[in-house]
Amino acid sequence: MASVPCLVSLSLCLLVLSHACSAQLEQVTSQHGWTRVRGEQRRGEGYSLDECQFSRLSAREPDRRLTSEAGVTDVWDENDDQFRCAGAAALRHTIEERGLLLPAYTNAPKLVYVDQGQLHCIFAGQGYHGAAIPGCAETFQSQEESQQQQDPRQGFRDQHQKIRKVREGDVIALPAGVADWFYNDAQTPLVLVQIMDTSNPANQLDNNFRKFFLAGNPQQQIQGQRGQFSGQGFQRGESQSQSRRGGSGGQEQRSGNIFQGFDEQFLAEAFNVDTDLARRMKNENDNRGVIVRVEDRLQFLTPEFSEEERSEYQRGRPANGVEETFCSARLKQNINDPSRADVYNPRAGRITSVNSHNLPILRSLRLSAQKGHLYQNAIMAPHWNINAHSICYFTRGTGRVQIVDENGRSVFDGEVREGQILTAPHNFAVVKRAGGEGLEWVAFKTNDQAKISQLAGRVSSMRAFPEEVIANSFQVSREEARRLKFNRDEVTLFSPGSRSQYRA
């Protein structure tokens, strides 16, 4: 009889384990495929993943432009299929000299690409980025030596967390919920392209992109278009034409920073300040937008480079080999430096990737990025993305892109140019060819170790197949199969040949 309770206990344990394994398998499937656990829960929120057919794609330019005191913000429409189904949102900030992008955090992890800025930010005039990592100490401190002995706390002029210098080509990774800011101290504009992964498991809200400002009185349209905040709650169903005007009736609607919703007395008590200062934190009459101009140049603590550190920084490497902790984790990696290219063909171009191998924080964000540079009329091998969507922002030049779905139908075949975004869905076949001025892009990928499989070239699927398989599959001779398999001996990037002349 004693065996009966044991059998019951064993059965219960197996039942619990089976449920746990099933849940874990479902979670893994959601990370690498279309069906996401949270996606299924959101089918009543405005769309179903079954609707994501990607039958027609387009190279999109921004749908809205928001003007601030010291720059502009361009916003892509989240309702477009390539953003909606890929679970992504896109912004572009152009920050003028002495412009400060106000502190804010988002409901989803994001990658920021510095599309324009100083090439070598170790000199005067540069861009800066600050992130407030929760629970980490303010490791940058300054003291007035004359007051240190009396009261060390009175001697601190300022203390804050680490501030990072940014330059053109940097990719900056930010987890969901981490507040950050940017400042441009250079005479040339600082252009930041941001991609937010709203379908990431870190986002516990719905699939709408939401940006929570800690200061200012931002315009409402910077919030996700599938669901926008106003002072009276959550709104849905606003048409695109209304959104471009700023709401119904053509009146620009506003949404404030998060302090506007708090009672002044609560704020005063929480910060241990008077109510007048607490009231000013709400910025209720602030019309400067999300990028404000600093009257005098922003003053903060940042160490000077030694010659050795300057050389290390230019190569994009950390200054020492100490293992990263959460508070000291690297948040950025430069992918513009030709010497860091992962693939290089002197007649075709280069490709540089940043993923969880060379920027470990991307492992928790489940994101990566790739910078591509094709020379005149060169081709990137036809391929498909094995485990990620690829959201391409074209930074320079022109070219032609073709994307084909599982039925062999062309869902995109057209010209692309600087400033446009085009999404290559997971597993769809893609080919790119540069125009007469070449073509450059940065691809944001929804996997921290994104992989591609090539259809042509030395490391392609065609090379892996036996000649007999190729000959019988395409109904060609062995000689023709051999040409298909071996005629292109380059890897990933192909130099232009007699058949590669680009026509716009």
Side-chain angles (χ1 to χ4, degrees):
M1 297 295 293
S3 62
V4 174
C6 293
L7 288 173
V8 173
S9 300
L10 180 61
S11 300
L12 289 174
C13 290
L14 290 173
L15 182 63
V16 171
L17 286 173
S18 66
H19 279 293
C21 292
S22 174
Q24 186 175 6
L25 179 60
E26 187 175 14
Q27 183 180 10
V28 171
T29 304
S30 74
Q31 293 173 16
H32 299 288
W34 277 110
T35 305
R36 297 176 184 266
V37 177
R38 293 185 300 109
E40 292 293 331
Q41 294 173 343
R42 293 176 187 168
R43 291 194 176 188
E45 303 254 2
Y47 75 96
S48 166
L49 290 175
D50 294 335
E51 300 173 5
C52 296
Q53 301 300 321
F54 284 115
S55 59
R56 289 186 306 275
L57 295 175
S58 60
R60 296 296 302 263
E61 295 182 350
D63 296 274
R64 305 188 300 282
R65 168 162 284 193
L66 311 175
T67 303
S68 297
E69 179 186 45
V72 296
T73 300
D74 296 304
V75 185
W76 277 265
D77 179 14
E78 271 192 286
N79 280 322
D80 186 83
D81 279 347
Q82 61 181 315
F83 295 116
R84 179 168 60 90
C85 298
L91 297 173
R92 183 176 62 208
H93 296 292
T94 302
I95 307 175
E96 299 171 0
E97 183 182 7
R98 300 201 327 272
L100 171 66
L101 178 60
L102 293 174
Y105 60 91
T106 61
N107 62 323
K110 66 181 179 182
L111 292 182
V112 182
Y113 177 71
V114 183
D115 183 36
Q116 182 176 334
Q118 292 295 310
L119 292 175
H120 303 291
C121 66
I122 56 177
F123 305 110
Q126 49 209 284
Y128 294 92
H129 172 246
I133 309 297
C136 297
E138 300 84 14
T139 55
F140 282 40
Q141 298 179 346
S142 64
Q143 290 182 320
E144 290 283 358
E145 294 184 2
S146 60
Q147 298 179 357
Q148 283 181 19
Q149 297 180 352
Q150 299 178 3
D151 187 348
R153 290 175 301 176
Q154 293 180 6
F156 289 123
R157 290 180 295 179
D158 193 12
Q159 56 186 41
H160 51 72
Q161 289 189 13
K162 181 177 181 177
I163 294 175
R164 298 161 178 86
K165 300 177 181 181
V166 298
R167 57 175 172 145
E168 185 173 322
D170 279 346
V171 171
I172 302 158
L174 266 298
V178 172
D180 71 320
W181 54 268
F182 284 88
Y183 173 67
N184 183 21
D185 194 38
Q187 295 180 354
T188 56
L190 179 66
V191 180
L192 311 171
V193 180
Q194 300 186 6
I195 296 291
M196 283 64 62
D197 182 11
T198 57
S199 63
N200 192 285
N203 176 19
Q204 298 297 304
L205 300 174
D206 52 32
N207 251 17
N208 301 313
F209 163 61
R210 307 184 188 212
K211 192 161 189 174
F212 299 80
F213 282 91
L214 274 64
N217 194 25
Q219 295 160 314
Q220 179 180 350
Q221 294 95 321
I222 203 168
Q223 303 294 354
Q225 202 172 352
R226 290 197 295 270
Q228 297 183 336
F229 284 115
S230 72
Q232 298 178 345
F234 191 66
Q235 297 182 340
R236 290 189 180 275
E238 183 180 50
S239 69
Q240 184 171 346
S241 60
Q242 288 176 331
S243 177
R244 292 187 184 210
R245 293 195 307 267
S248 59
Q251 297 296 319
E252 183 181 20
Q253 299 181 8
R254 311 288 289 186
S255 64
N257 67 56
I258 59 175
F259 294 117
Q260 287 192 17
F262 288 117
D263 180 79
E264 294 172 6
Q265 190 62 45
F266 278 3
L267 287 177
E269 189 171 349
F271 284 90
N272 194 24
V273 296
D274 57 64
T275 54
D276 179 64
L277 182 54
R279 186 181 304 110
R280 289 161 59 189
M281 291 174 64
K282 298 187 175 186
N283 292 117
E284 292 178 332
N285 298 316
D286 191 340
N287 297 315
R288 297 176 298 169
V290 300
I291 306 172
V292 303
R293 193 176 306 281
V294 177
E295 293 184 6
D296 297 319
R297 296 195 180 277
L298 210 60
Q299 300 293 322
F300 45 76
L301 300 170
T302 180
E304 296 295 329
F305 280 103
S306 66
E307 289 301 321
E308 181 180 357
E309 290 172 327
R310 182 172 303 192
S311 176
E312 292 286 346
Y313 185 87
Q314 287 179 312
R315 292 198 297 268
R317 300 174 184 173
N320 58 58
V322 178
E323 184 178 357
E324 291 181 0
T325 64
F326 178 71
C327 291
S328 64
R330 285 190 303 122
L331 301 183
K332 68 184 180 73
Q333 175 93 345
N334 194 276
I335 56 176
N336 257 18
D337 188 349
S339 66
R340 300 178 61 84
D342 300 300
V343 177
Y344 174 62
N345 183 334
R347 297 178 300 277
R350 62 181 183 270
I351 289 179
T352 308
S353 299
V354 56
N355 52 40
S356 56
H357 291 302
N358 50 19
L359 190 60
I361 193 174
L362 293 176
R363 184 175 298 112
S364 61
L365 272 61
R366 301 177 184 176
L367 295 171
S368 59
Q370 181 185 79
K371 178 66 187 294
H373 184 180
L374 284 177
Y375 300 157
Q376 180 181 9
N377 296 325
I379 298 174
M380 182 173 181
H383 65 276
W384 71 87
N385 291 281
I386 295 177
N387 56 357
H389 301 303
S390 181
I391 304 164
C392 294
Y393 174 81
F394 296 94
T395 60
R396 303 286 187 278
T398 59
R400 183 181 177 186
V401 177
Q402 292 182 332
I403 303 177
V404 178
D405 69 7
E406 73 278 13
N407 296 312
R409 296 177 302 185
S410 175
V411 296
F412 181 83
D413 182 0
E415 184 180 0
V416 294
R417 59 182 181 272
E418 179 180 342
Q420 292 182 326
I421 285 181
L422 176 64
T423 298
H426 176 214
N427 284 156
F428 281 40
V430 187
V431 63
K432 298 183 181 76
R433 186 170 64 188
E437 299 178 352
L439 181 66
E440 297 182 43
W441 70 91
V442 57
F444 302 91
K445 304 204 173 190
T446 57
N447 193 301
D448 62 288
Q449 295 184 28
K451 300 177 178 66
I452 67 170
S453 182
Q454 295 180 199
L455 290 163
R458 199 169 67 199
V459 294
S460 65
S461 300
M462 201 69 70
R463 279 289 185 100
F465 297 146
E467 289 179 12
E468 285 288 338
V469 171
I470 297 173
N472 284 276
S473 297
F474 296 108
Q475 292 185 305
V476 298
S477 67
R478 285 284 300 270
E479 176 60 31
E480 290 169 323
R482 191 173 295 114
R483 291 205 303 268
L484 285 174
K485 185 170 180 176
F486 295 108
N487 267 20
R488 181 64 81 170
D489 199 42
E490 296 165 300
V491 177
T492 308
L493 303 178
F494 300 160
S495 57
S498 60
R499 298 179 181 271
S500 299
Q501 186 61 37
Y502 173 79
R503 291 180 176 86

